Every structure is written in C-alpha cells, then in structure tokens.
Amino acid sequence: MSRSDYLKLADAIAADIASGALKAGDRLPPQRDFAYERNIAVSTASRVYTELLRRGLAIGEVGRGTFVSGDARRGVTVPAEPHGARIDLEFNYPMLPVQSAMIAKSLQGLFLPDALEAALRPVASIGTSAARAASAAYLARKGWTPGAEQIVFTANGRQCIAAALAAVVPTGGRCGVEALTYPFVKGIAARLGITLVPLAMDEHGVRPDAVQKAHREGRLSALYIQPVMQNPLGITMPPARRADLLRVVERLGLTVVEDAVYGFLEDEAPLAAEAPDLCVVLDSLSKKIAPGLACGFIVMPQRLRESVMAAVRSGGWTASGYALAAGQRLMADGTAHELSKLKRLDAARRQQLAAKYLDGFELQANSKAYHLWLTLPSHWRSLAFVGAAARRDIALTPSTTFAVAAGHAPNAVRLALGAPTMHQLETGLQMLSGILNAREEDFDTTE
C-alpha cells in the first residue's frame, strides 16, 4: 500500500474522532483485526496506527491496546503518571541513597511541638519572612541574588508555571515556547486559555529571529523558556545568545518566564541577572531535594508582584505551611546545598554511563544533566521504540510528548537518568543498546 493510501485510512479514523463517532477512551481494534476487516497487511495497519499516535489522536498502552486520546481535538499530549516500570527512564526524580538520612537529620527539630504547631498553620503566598530570607540566600548564584521581597511560594514547580503564565499572559493570549519543551506546560496553557507558539531552536537554544517572526505573526505576551539545562535537550544558552535574546525581548516589550528547575546542575545565573525587570524566575525543591518535599518559588520583578500573588491565591496554589517549614530548614542549615552538590556528581556519573553504553548512537547530551536526547536510527520510530522498551519493562518518553506543534516531533526519545539505581540504569542502557541494534519489525508496537 502506498503512503497516500495508508494516510487516507488514518484520515478516515481522524474524521470519525472529529465527528464524535469515536470518543475519547474508545479502544481501537487490535491491529490484526483492523487489517483483516479492511483486507490490508498487518504492517499497513501498523503504519496507520503509528500515524494516529504521531498526530496525538491515539495513545498506545502496552499490554492493553490503542485508545482514542482524551485530548485528541486539542492536540495536548500529557504524560501519564509514574507507573512503576522496573527501570524508569521516563521521570526525572533523582534520589540519592544517603539523602533520606540527611533530610531526617535536618528535620528533627521540626517535630518539636512548638515548631510543628507553627508549621501546621496556614500561610500566605509570600510565606514568612524567615522562609523568604532562606530562599533568597539558597537561590542566589554568582552574579544574581534575588531579593527576599521578590519571592512568592507555591506547592510545586508546575503551580509556579501556572501562576506565572496566568499573571503575564491574558486569556486568549499567545506565549512563545521552545519547540521542544517541558510537557506539562501544554496542559497548563490549554486550561488557562493560552496559545503556545513554538519557537525554532538551534544548538544554542531559542533563536531570537524566531521570537521576532512569531511576534510579527501575532502579538506575543511572554516567553516560557529554559535558558539553563533545557528539558529535554540539555542546552544551556551561551552568553552571546542570552544577550541577543534579551535585546529582542526588551524591544518587543515581552516578559520572560524562565524555568530554572534544572539550573542547580550548572553554574550559570538566570537571565534575570542581566534583565531583572523583564524576567520571572521559577524554581522548586523537587529535583534538588525530593519530589515529596516539593515547594515552588516564583521570583518576580516588583511590577508583577501583585498580579503574581493574586494568581497564586485565585488558583489555590499556595504552598502548605509544613512543606515551607521543612524547605526552610533544609535550605538554612546547608542540607539542600549539600544535596545539590552530591546530585551534580551523581548526574555526571550517570551521563558517563550513558555515553559508554550508547556509544555510536546520535546523542544530544549535557555532561552535567540528568537527561539526554537520543535520536533514533532510521529503522526505528519514536513511539514504536518506546513500546519495544516498555515490553522490556523500561519506561521512556517519546519526542511527541515534548513537541508543541502536532506532527513536528523529531524521531527521538528522552532518557531521564535520575530515578533508577546505578545498577538498574546500567542494565537498562545495555538493553536499550540491544533494542537500538534490532529492527522495529521484531517488536509489536501497541498491543
């Protein structure tokens, strides 16, 4: 069957989804049944289903089948919850063997009655003066020290994104984002009524000319970008690109919402160090300490203080008093800094291991990052490769999850290196190397 013929079959199913004949959650027939009903080859049926997956119209669930996507009409692909794969290379939650003991020691005093009573009280979006002071000192980098009065707290990093976008982009407005970006921003923007505009990138990050082009085509209100240790590509903007981008942003009157959640792995300061009135910095404790101690920070210029605080309150995104008190202790006594140092060493070791086992394949990797980008050999497709890995009980993230524009995902996957033990990581990398050297037809993709 020619390319146009199998695309016609995919278009027919897409039309059924658009009309409501097929609804979100409906299970598509197994590929062999689909092939038999239409008198086509099973390989052709596989191409049809892969095309539906590529468009975001369907979701393949290993061991269960292929289902119509719940976000098919919006084209919003939201990652699943962590699902307990034996080797999780999908979610980046770096946990060190020593960190629980370090955290427990730091938090001993929190369980004294007076301290616990204070921690269990409700707090405002600005927290306490002690929490703001500890946070400002902890977040400081060479060349950048935020003022304590600039900080607002949320319960986690995703809530930081939601509050910041709600504060700087009006409903119906447009926000420029990296063409490949943190997946959850897509769902957040959809719920806020914000249109995300993908911006072309190169090896240095977002291209300033892409920002200008997008703004000409329809006014942008802001940019959401990751200038340091970008997810999923690991790019850190060099000084020249930072300067060029900020010149364009200032000329166009835009606000930069910069996500610095992985910034602790680098020495680079945020863009706010060079343009404090243009930038809102987002950070959290989930990667630095632990996901169960998530606490988000928004560092904003004075001009946005009231709107950010209002967004946090109206969204119900205020941090809990207990998480804030725990975070304050970990930051103030140096435990959080020590964990960051140890995680830098850990990330570097994991990158070295990945480079060893994936030698010869096309990688885009930052030697300091907890993730890398693997461009697949031509005989593999992203979603099929993810399915093949899942059959080996290895969880990966396909490129479609990160792509802002539907149908514009490269043939690649992201490997998150932080969650498995070193032994699990080594085992998983060995198995992936074997899959990469096999061929797609040796594996079923979605059933």
Side-chain angles (χ1 to χ4, degrees), residues 232-283:
L233 301 178
I235 296 169
T236 292
M237 281 189 183
R241 174 57 54 86
R242 290 163 64 105
D244 290 344
L245 181 64
L246 287 173
R247 276 195 291 270
V248 169
V249 165
E250 184 174 20
R251 186 167 68 250
L252 298 180
L254 305 180
T255 297
V256 178
V257 177
E258 52 176 321
D259 191 333
V261 70
Y262 287 109
F264 73 100
L265 297 169
E266 284 270 23
D267 293 324
E268 297 293 331
L271 295 177
E274 299 154 57
D277 199 48
L278 300 178
C279 301
V280 177
V281 180
L282 313 181
D283 211 332

Side-chain angles (χ1 to χ4, degrees), residues 178-220:
E178 294 141 330
L180 295 169
T181 191
Y182 176 54
F184 285 97
V185 73
K186 295 188 285 184
I188 291 168
R191 283 158 181 77
L192 292 173
I194 293 170
T195 298
L196 296 182
V197 181
L199 303 172
M201 305 172 69
D202 59 21
E203 70 275 16
H204 301 310
V206 165
R207 288 169 26 195
D209 65 311
V211 177
Q212 296 179 86
K213 180 175 182 293
H215 194 69
R216 283 197 304 270
E217 292 172 351
R219 185 182 182 280
L220 300 176

Side-chain angles (χ1 to χ4, degrees), residues 59-301:
I59 299 171
E61 298 186 12
V62 176
R64 294 189 60 213
T66 306
F67 298 81
V68 176
S69 169
D71 293 304
R73 297 189 186 187
R74 287 186 146 186
V76 178
T77 304
V78 179
E81 295 294 330
H83 44 64
R86 184 170 66 89
I87 302 175
D88 184 0
L89 302 180
E90 183 175 16
F91 289 89
N92 242 343
Y93 294 133
M95 299 281 286
L96 303 176
V98 300
Q99 73 179 57
S100 293
M102 293 173 64
I103 293 170
K105 181 179 179 181
S106 175
L107 297 185
Q108 282 179 343
L110 186 57
F111 298 101
L112 297 174
D114 288 348
L116 189 58
E117 181 183 356
L120 295 178
R121 292 173 181 164
V123 294
S125 61
I126 58 172
T128 64
S129 59
R132 292 195 302 276
S135 300
Y138 175 66
L139 295 174
R141 298 284 170 82
K142 184 178 180 181
W144 181 69
T145 301
E149 72 285 354
Q150 294 179 268
I151 297 174
V152 167
F153 300 99
T154 69
N156 57 50
R158 295 176 195 172
Q159 292 183 4
C160 285
I161 297 171
L165 291 183
V168 301
V169 184
T171 300
R174 287 160 45 92
C175 178
V177 295
E178 294 141 330
L180 295 169
T181 191
Y182 176 54
F184 285 97
V185 73
K186 295 188 285 184
I188 291 168
R191 283 158 181 77
L192 292 173
I194 293 170
T195 298
L196 296 182
V197 181
L199 303 172
M201 305 172 69
D202 59 21
E203 70 275 16
H204 301 310
V206 165
R207 288 169 26 195
D209 65 311
V211 177
Q212 296 179 86
K213 180 175 182 293
H215 194 69
R216 283 197 304 270
E217 292 172 351
R219 185 182 182 280
L220 300 176
S221 296
L223 305 182
Y224 166 80
I225 59 175
Q226 303 161 83
V228 180
M229 201 67 76
Q230 198 263 357
N231 177 23
L233 301 178
I235 296 169
T236 292
M237 281 189 183
R241 174 57 54 86
R242 290 163 64 105
D244 290 344
L245 181 64
L246 287 173
R247 276 195 291 270
V248 169
V249 165
E250 184 174 20
R251 186 167 68 250
L252 298 180
L254 305 180
T255 297
V256 178
V257 177
E258 52 176 321
D259 191 333
V261 70
Y262 287 109
F264 73 100
L265 297 169
E266 284 270 23
D267 293 324
E268 297 293 331
L271 295 177
E274 299 154 57
D277 199 48
L278 300 178
C279 301
V280 177
V281 180
L282 313 181
D283 211 332
S284 82
L285 296 179
S286 61
K287 311 297 183 190
K288 300 176 179 67
I289 299 178
L293 268 174
C295 181
F297 310 93
I298 304 176
V299 183
M300 69 275 166

Side-chain angles (χ1 to χ4, degrees), residues 26-65:
D26 284 354
R27 188 182 191 275
L28 299 178
Q31 290 179 20
R32 285 179 176 81
D33 293 352
F34 182 87
Y36 178 79
E37 292 168 3
R38 288 161 176 76
N39 195 29
I40 59 175
V42 174
S43 61
T44 301
S46 177
R47 296 174 78 184
V48 174
Y49 278 41
T50 299
E51 178 64 18
L52 295 172
L53 293 167
R54 185 188 68 79
R55 297 184 192 182
L57 297 175
I59 299 171
E61 298 186 12
V62 176
R64 294 189 60 213

Side-chain angles (χ1 to χ4, degrees), residues 342-363:
L342 293 174
K343 289 186 178 184
R344 282 188 171 203
L345 297 173
D346 181 57
R349 285 193 294 266
R350 290 169 184 268
Q351 285 287 348
Q352 290 168 4
L353 201 61
K356 172 184 173 182
Y357 285 103
L358 299 178
D359 183 39
F361 298 104
E362 187 178 345
L363 303 178

